[in-house]
Amino acid sequence: MTDSTKTLCPYCGVGCGLEVSPPAAAGKATNRDSQGNPVWKVRGDKAHPSSQGMVCVKGATIAEAIAKSRLRYPMVRDSLNEEFRQVSWEEALEKIVNRIQTVRLTQGADAICMYGSGQFQTEDYYIAQKLMKGCLGTNNFDANSRLCMSSAVSGYIQSFGADGPPCCYEDLEQTDCAFLIGTNTAECHPIVFNRLNKYCKQNRNVKMVVVDPRYTTTAEAADLHLAIHPGTDIDLLNGIAHLLMRWGCIDLDFIEDCTSNFPAYAEVIQDYTPEMVAQKCGISAADLETAARYWKESKRVLSMWSMGVNQSSEGTAKVRTIINLHLMTGQIGKPGAGPFSLTGQPNAMGGREAGGLAHLLPGYRSVKNPQHRAELEQLWGLPTGSISSETGRNTWEIITGLESGEVGVLWIAATNPAVSMPDLERTKAALLRSPFTIYQDAYYPTETAAYAHVLLPAAQWSEKTGVMTNSERRVTLCSAFRQPPGEAKADWEIFAEVGRRLGFTEQFAFSAATQVYAEFTKVTRDRPCDMSGLSHERLRAEGPQQWPCPESELGKSDRHEKAKRLYTDFKFHTPDGRAKFAAYHSRGLAEPPDPQYPYVLTNGRLYGHWHTLTRTGRIDKIQQMHPNPFIEIHPRDAASLKINNDDWVEVRSRRGKAKFPAKVTKAIAPGTVFVPMHWGALWAEQAEANALTHPESCPDSKQPELKACAVQLIPLSNNFFSYQEAEQYDPAPSPISV
Ligand SMILES: Nc1nc2c(c(=O)[nH]1)N[C@H]1C(S)=C(S)[C@@H](COP(=O)(O)OP(=O)(O)OC[C@H]3O[C@@H](n4cnc5c(=O)[nH]c(N)nc54)[C@H](O)[C@@H]3O)O[C@H]1N2
Ligand SMILES: Nc1nc2c(c(=O)[nH]1)N[C@H]1C(S)=C(S)[C@@H](COP(=O)(O)OP(=O)(O)OC[C@H]3O[C@@H](n4cnc5c(=O)[nH]c(N)nc54)[C@H](O)[C@@H]3O)O[C@H]1N2
Ligand code: SF4
Ligand SMILES: [Mo]
């Protein structure tokens, strides 16, 4: 393999095209990483339509982390206080299969759980569904997308009758107003932001609104920044709707012809007067009015959102309330307009297509739907009734299942829950109780490895071939261009091998990823995410493709144009074909601040780092960009607590504590503090954001409210306190701003 390979960046859901070439050109010195591995050269793929050659620092430096600190061989141990010993695949697989068979017989299939990830390729996801939901007959497969995209999924399904972001990146350059809510796009979706920001700068009449309690890098670029109190998004959105209604700026024809349930919504928004909304959100009535005016004056509004909206105990309601505004103004199904959920992980979209949550089945199907189950049982060659009609355990229910002893086997792959789950103390205690945990990861050590009985080495991006789908529904083939280290195998290969050993030889008779993908695309035929026209061969020959891409459309000249946007005919996937308005009042935070825990803690990401640092923590350039965790505190709060820059602050919630050096800044609103989510126990002492967070979740999407919990702040290293004194400290009630 000497030529360059086109592939996709394996980090965020923007899905930038990369071109990767071998480390050494003939006669030139080989660039090596700090562990002596040759480093591949990476540049942006100019021909990739989503990114047009652009990359951010994460994509540009990915090659520096792919060979370091890898898990190379299967390892096992009988209990968590023993050392791991290296074993053959044969021995590891035998142990797993025996345990699965025993648990199936003694506790039933529903005692087996798998927890996967939006960092799987679609092939990995699909085979995991077939194994768990089809062959084993339990829907206990959930993924870290539960912590990420599930509110967007349920919002789209409830409003439109199906999941799937209806927009595309060309809309970034065709809009009159970009409405960014709960997204720090500049740091988390940098190439989406670059495209948008460049366009806004060239067209001064195009407006950018940012709704975020923090003054983020994204907010710096905005025409209007609404620094709302955490958890007041629904108030704001209903307040904008109230003004649009008052001004008569609604699309009555669209509402009449293409939607349902408008009267209920119209009644709800009556209550959201500008005075009330401004007061609740902590913004001025003038700013609220400006936001509403931008909606009114813009022919095309493109709203974008991410975790500030989804990670909420009313996440689905927030998503639907954003969609309401689009329905009310007819801003959907046309260039430059629509409700655009920015996906987090590189293949969270593929995960949704493959049915990778406990209530879903492949091809945008639902476990609750008897016809959907029957279709898959037939496609998979399984007896009728093989697929359970019960929703499986979601991410948090896996934790509570460990607590109650109902989970007998836990198989975790491509995620690091010992850092990323809410209420870490409880999560870790539950993981400690697991009778048998299989952990399948690319790197070693990670925090979760400490809780495993079996470690399986996974081949990662660059070492396995498969597809990923980005936020604009564009599917890119990621071809392998180097060998996996040691004995690492692709996730789907491991699942398929276990399937065969459990007796499902026909169901897992695959020898290459291209065969897996061929079967998967068949399963999507005639579904909203129809990809029956796609194959590895076509993606290799023709480059990345957007879905829908039904086989029947192949060869038609307008195929690509038609796939750009969904709902251009204003026909939705609901039973009556209409998009449904939702009528939600705001409920606010699940754990609002109070005199004992007077601050709202929010948390999120930094530009250079990726999640739990398994890759970016090992890249020098990025470590230098963001060397340490910190806590952002507003100068007013810092003054009242006598905290100076760089003073250590202990943060306590009802569940746990952490400590950070202070960064005193007006970028965070008074009453709110911010910490990055990245540093787990292996990377810093007691700087885990999730030691503090709680698992209260949205009733529809079951997505936990990771974005907000109530905390107290205790200064540790100034003149007034020692650490010991702080242990007895009773924090003086501070002003509560929510
Ligand atoms: N650099 C980098 N990029 C990434 C990732 C990464 O780890 N690092 N991860 C990827 C993944 S998986 C994801 S999910 C995305 C996440 O992308 P984002 O959602 O953009 O990232 P976050 O920083 O988690 O949160 C976004 C913002 O939500 C705001 N927020 C908090 N509470 C509220 C609220 O109540 N209302 C509103 N309106 N806003 C609120 C926070 O202040 C924060 O600025 O990023 C993806 N891209
Ligand atoms: N407080 C707080 N907590 C959060 C969030 C937040 O905003 N705030 N965000 C939540 C969100 S949106 C997300 S997406 C999660 C992310 O949280 P995690 O999923 O826990 O984070 P990662 O560090 O991306 O973990 C991915 C793991 O997969 C491994 N890996 C990479 N490629 C492969 C592969 O091909 N196969 C296998 N088997 N392993 C592979 C990596 O080595 C790494 O260990 O965190 C959630 N938790
Ligand atoms: S924007 Fe996202 S997909 Fe693009 S290079 Fe950066 S991390 Fe990779
Ligand atoms: Mo995410």
Side-chain angles (χ1 to χ4, degrees), residues 308-341:
V309 167
N310 291 347
Q311 285 173 344
S312 159
S313 56
E314 47 183 356
T316 308
K318 282 191 187 183
V319 169
R320 295 198 67 192
T321 306
I322 296 171
I323 294 173
N324 282 343
L325 277 176
H326 286 270
L327 299 180
M328 183 185 202
T329 54
Q331 299 275 7
I332 186 167
K334 58 185 188 182
F340 198 176
S341 137

Side-chain angles (χ1 to χ4, degrees), residues 24 181 184 188 196-197 212 335 340 447 538 581 619 630 638 654:
I181 176 161
N184 184 3
C188 297
L196 176 68
N197 198 33
D212 194 311
F340 198 176
E447 288 80 355
R538 171 154 287 111
F581 277 98
I619 297 174
F630 55 83
R654 288 184 176 82

Side-chain angles (χ1 to χ4, degrees), residues 79-98:
S79 74
L80 297 187
N81 41 33
E82 285 171 30
E83 297 282 310
F84 282 111
R85 60 188 169 86
Q86 187 183 323
V87 294
S88 63
W89 271 105
E90 188 56 37
E91 187 177 340
L93 290 168
E94 201 179 282
K95 205 173 160 78
I96 291 168
V97 169
N98 282 344

Side-chain angles (χ1 to χ4, degrees), residues 420-438:
S420 54
M421 289 280 272
D423 195 351
L424 267 187
E425 204 169 310
R426 192 168 158 193
T427 294
K428 289 178 183 175
L431 289 172
L432 278 179
R433 295 185 55 175
S434 173
F436 191 74
T437 298
I438 308 158

Side-chain angles (χ1 to χ4, degrees), residues 527-553:
R527 300 295 307 153
C529 60
D530 194 331
M531 280 168 261
S532 53
L534 293 182
S535 63
H536 281 196
E537 294 70 30
R538 171 154 287 111
L539 291 164
R540 193 171 289 119
E542 296 176 22
Q545 309 275 323
Q546 279 177 294
W547 64 254
C549 182
E551 200 171 14
S552 56
E553 290 285 310

Side-chain angles (χ1 to χ4, degrees), residues 71 412-413 415-417 437-441 446 448-449 452 454-456:
L71 178 61
I412 304 171
T415 176
N416 192 4
T437 298
I438 308 158
Y439 182 49
Q440 180 168 313
D441 203 277
T446 73
T448 303
V454 179
L455 292 177
L456 298 180

